[in-house]
Amino acid sequence: MSTPPPEPTGDGDWIEKVVNAAGALGFNKMRLRWKLIRWQERRRQAARRREQRVQHITYAHKTCGECGAVEDKDATVCGSCGAKLGKRAFQVLRRLGVMLPVGLSVSSFLALAILVTYGKTWIEMGGGFGTPSAALLHDLGARWPPSIKDEPWRLLTPVFLHIGLWHLAFNLLAIASIGPRIEERYGRFSMLGLCVATGVLANMGALAIGDMVVSAGASGGIMGLIGVAAGSGHREGTARGRELRNDMLKWSAYTFVFGFGLGADNWAHLFGGLAGALFGFAVTPMTWKRRALIPMRVLVGLIGIGGTIAAIALILTREPSPTVDPQVASDDGQDEYIEMCKRHRAGDMPGAIAALTAYMQGFEEDGAMKIDACAVEQACGSLEILRQGCNAGTLPVEQCRMYRRVFRELPPLPMNQSQPR
């Protein structure tokens, strides 16, 4: 037996008129009536949801973000848990889905510190929109396992270094989206300390599994913040906590997909996220704000401030190693090598052969070498293979450093780069 259609409610006269007209044309009246009534009901439900959302956004009272208690619109502190409520304008923006920090944002200072260190990288690589080589990143403080024993500070400085504009832009977007949430829940400088601490732990984890790459980026620390928010939200078990946890799981997925797409250091992502999740699950925001934990909050804040200042100072005062190629007798020889490959790429093979001839005059033992188009192709092709290996972090940093000037002055070709985070 078929289910009869629901009775039309309210302004259902138009439905009957449409059904009768359609029936005269041979349509199934019962089926059409059922579809029209269901369509009308869905419209009414959508209208009710929109009305409820508007009422929620314009709600005159404040809602505590920690415990969910409803407070008077003029209240500044939650009467149930003692958390700060902030201004009503910020609450309205939050209901609209816009997350902004209350007052001064430490997330902005963290982003500024990262931009300053990227400025140093950009200047050293000669400007442009290219990607810094593994050798340059190593010289500025990137993580490279063989160097950690003598320079343990390389566990910290990579958190503030970045590999290219796409890498930088993604991490700045993540900081702007996630940092304010941690500031609001755990405190401004606690956010900075948690980012620095989990970033260092992420580097230590990747180092422990023998990740032999030149690596840099703030993603390990950002994944730490994501883990803190997800762990605390899951521990709370409230509707707001579960929503926060789910949002952070989405950000985790974005980070890992971005990492796989760029060949990034997903081991560091994993270890940073796990460290943050363990902290967030063990220490909820309400627990963190207890008076007994004031010394711990101060310590974490000092870790954030001290670590940031130390990393910036180390990176800005680093001087990249000399760029002399030991296979070139002088700067003139290096200039001729660069000129050879420039002419080769421009299609000027006679000019490239002449430049190679001048270059090889400094090598008596190679005087019998046949200099022709094949030799030019081999020399410039080998250089590109070397460039790709250096940018991928698979060749010794010392070897790559010798060719930095050549890499800088020759137009780069598409290649795989060092592992970003």
Side-chain angles (χ1 to χ4, degrees), residues 311-369:
I312 294 174
L314 283 166
I315 293 169
L316 294 185
T317 56
R318 295 282 293 174
E319 290 296 333
S321 300
T323 60
V324 176
D325 185 343
Q327 296 184 21
V328 180
S330 65
D331 283 345
D332 292 337
Q334 204 170 128
D335 289 339
E336 289 154 1
Y337 191 94
I338 294 169
E339 182 67 17
M340 172 189 66
C341 291
K342 282 185 177 180
R343 290 185 177 275
H344 170 250
R345 294 183 184 185
D348 181 10
M349 186 57 72
I353 292 174
L356 178 59
T357 301
Y359 170 75
M360 294 305 298
Q361 288 177 353
F363 301 92
E364 296 180 359
E365 67 275 14
D366 294 328
M369 175 182 173

Side-chain angles (χ1 to χ4, degrees), residues 12-33:
D13 292 342
W14 71 271
I15 294 179
E16 290 303 318
K17 292 178 181 179
V18 172
V19 167
N20 291 331
L25 297 173
F27 287 90
N28 187 314
K29 295 172 64 175
M30 180 176 292
R31 181 180 298 173
L32 181 60
R33 181 184 292 109

Side-chain angles (χ1 to χ4, degrees), residues 204-281:
M204 292 175 66
L207 185 67
I209 65 167
D211 196 13
M212 291 293 292
V213 292
V214 176
S215 182
S219 304
I222 293 171
M223 278 295 296
L225 298 181
I226 291 173
V228 169
S232 64
H234 182 77
R235 173 71 180 275
E236 289 172 6
T238 62
R240 183 174 182 270
R242 289 192 296 270
E243 181 183 5
L244 177 63
R245 177 201 62 193
N246 294 340
D247 286 345
M248 293 300 102
L249 290 177
K250 292 176 185 176
W251 265 105
S252 298
Y254 300 153
T255 303
F256 280 105
V257 170
F258 182 81
F260 281 117
L262 292 185
D265 191 353
N266 273 332
W267 282 114
H269 295 165
L270 177 63
F271 286 111
L274 288 175
L278 289 173
F279 176 88
F281 187 81

